[in-house]
Structures are given as structure tokens and as C-alpha cells.
Amino acid sequence: MASTSGLPPSVANRPVQARSELSTLALLDAAAEVIAEVGYERATLAAIGERAGYSHGLVTRRFESKAKLLSALIERMTFVWGDAQLRGRAGDHRGTAGVIVVIDAVRGFHRRSPREFRALYSLMFEALKPIPVLRDRMAELHREFRASIELGVREGIEAGLVPASVDPAAVARVLISGLRGAAYQWLLDPGEFDMDRALLDLRSLMEDMLGGRPA
């Protein structure tokens, strides 16, 4: 029988695969919280394990190192909570509609899961530090995100939904800069900065830039 050492009783009594999945998700959630609070460099595997209710040894066995835990966290955050999910939604729409659905999805994410939103964007800004695994992955994600927005705008132009004078690359730059800038201000001063209002302002700006509201 597999060892349940380091597992809380509520998890240890479940089947092996379910225990593994639950503990992994709990550790990644705890890692996101700890990193959002103290930063990647100050976060420790021991603190992450303690936050999740698991032993330090289990964290090490599951991820081997903090760098590998970070890689797993980035994938989960971007594909479950963040921009990869938004790109998927935008891919179902062309032109202005694709841009608006991204902004509305961010608004929904911020309202529904502010803790996860804070963790995701805190990690994005941590990528400015010399942490290669984080910096490289975040740079790649932003390149992919810009390319996805540009493609949607070009398809909108080809379909006659967006004026031919619109520059798809400029739209992508302004959109992503607006999302990141708003998030930075909210992280810095959440009590004073109205994140939802800022996203509505960005929505209006994008509609104007793209030639009006989608049909």
C-alpha cells in the first residue's frame, strides 16, 4: 500500500489517484498564495507545505525542487486561471468581439476569484526578476497572447467587421498593456483603484480603436 505519510486525514482516506490529485492542487494553490504574499525568492517549500497542510517532505517528493514547483504552478495558473483560457475564448470570435470577450473574461475572473487573480499577476511581475524559468515562460505566453489577438483582428478585417485601417499589432499592444497596467495599479493600491472600472474603460477604448461595438 502506498504511504500516506504527510497527508491530512481528510485526504489520506481517499483512493491513491484522488489523493495525489487533491494534494497536488492544494500544494499549487498554497504556492500561489505564498508567492503572492512574499515573492518567489522568499517562498520556501516548507512554508508552502505548511500552508497546504502537508509535510515538507511531501512537497519535495512531489515536485523535487522549487523551480519545478514553479513550472507546474505557471502551467496551472495560465491554463486554468489565466491568459491561455482567455485566448481560447477569443479564438471563437473575430475582430472587436474577440477583444471584448477577453476583457469581459478578465473582469469575470477578477470579480469571481480575486485571490487567484492577485497570485497570477503577482507572478507575472515576479518575472521581471532574474528567474529564468519564470521569465522565459511569461515572455513566451505574452508573445502567444499578442499573436492570438493580432490574428483575431486580422480575421475581423478580412470579414469586413473591422476597418482596414486598423493595425492588428497596435491593438494587441494596447490591449495587453492596458490589462497589465490595470492589474499593476490594483495590486499596488486595491483599496483605491477600481479594477472593474478600469477594464470597462479599456473595453470602450478598444471599441473605439476597432471602429465601434461588435454587431
Side-chain angles (χ1 to χ4, degrees), residues 17-29:
Q17 184 175 354
R19 288 202 305 268
S20 178
E21 292 174 354
L22 285 171
S23 60
T24 296
L25 292 177
L27 289 170
L28 291 174
D29 284 343

Side-chain angles (χ1 to χ4, degrees), residues 11-200:
V11 175
N13 294 328
R14 295 173 180 264
V16 174
Q17 184 175 354
R19 288 202 305 268
S20 178
E21 292 174 354
L22 285 171
S23 60
T24 296
L25 292 177
L27 289 170
L28 291 174
D29 284 343
E33 291 180 11
V34 172
I35 290 172
E37 291 170 7
V38 304
Y40 173 74
E41 292 175 315
R42 293 177 59 193
T44 65
L45 294 181
I48 290 167
E50 182 179 359
R51 177 68 60 91
Y54 295 100
S55 69
H56 180 194
L58 179 68
V59 188
T60 303
R61 288 196 302 274
R62 185 63 48 81
F63 295 103
E64 298 182 11
S65 69
K66 193 166 73 167
K68 289 186 177 180
L69 186 153
L70 177 63
S71 294
L73 176 61
I74 293 169
E75 295 308 308
R76 178 169 186 246
M77 291 175 80
T78 54
F79 282 87
V80 176
W81 299 342
D83 289 344
Q85 184 183 52
L86 304 186
R87 288 198 302 275
R89 295 186 185 187
D92 296 330
H93 304 271
R94 296 177 296 178
T96 308
V99 170
I100 297 307
V101 77
V102 167
I103 298 172
D104 286 348
V106 173
R107 289 180 63 215
F109 176 33
H110 175 259
R111 290 196 303 267
R112 184 176 62 254
S113 308
R115 185 185 67 175
E116 288 82 359
F117 187 91
R118 172 176 288 277
L120 176 61
Y121 277 88
S122 294
L123 200 58
M124 284 186 184
F125 294 119
E126 283 274 310
L128 294 173
K129 298 179 180 179
I131 307 169
V133 63
L134 179 57
R135 192 181 192 99
D136 293 347
R137 187 65 180 117
M138 286 299 178
E140 179 185 9
L141 288 169
H142 279 77
R143 288 192 295 267
E144 293 173 355
F145 197 9
R146 288 193 300 270
S148 175
I149 296 301
E150 288 181 36
L151 176 61
V153 174
R154 283 197 299 272
E155 290 178 345
I157 292 171
E158 293 168 1
L161 301 172
V162 174
S165 59
V166 171
D167 180 353
V171 171
R173 287 192 298 268
V174 172
L175 172 63
I176 298 173
S177 296
L179 293 174
R180 301 303 182 250
Y184 175 80
Q185 293 182 80
W186 179 76
L187 287 172
L188 190 66
D189 195 9
E192 291 295 325
F193 185 77
D194 188 336
M195 181 69 183
D196 193 67
R197 182 67 257 174
L199 292 175
L200 287 173

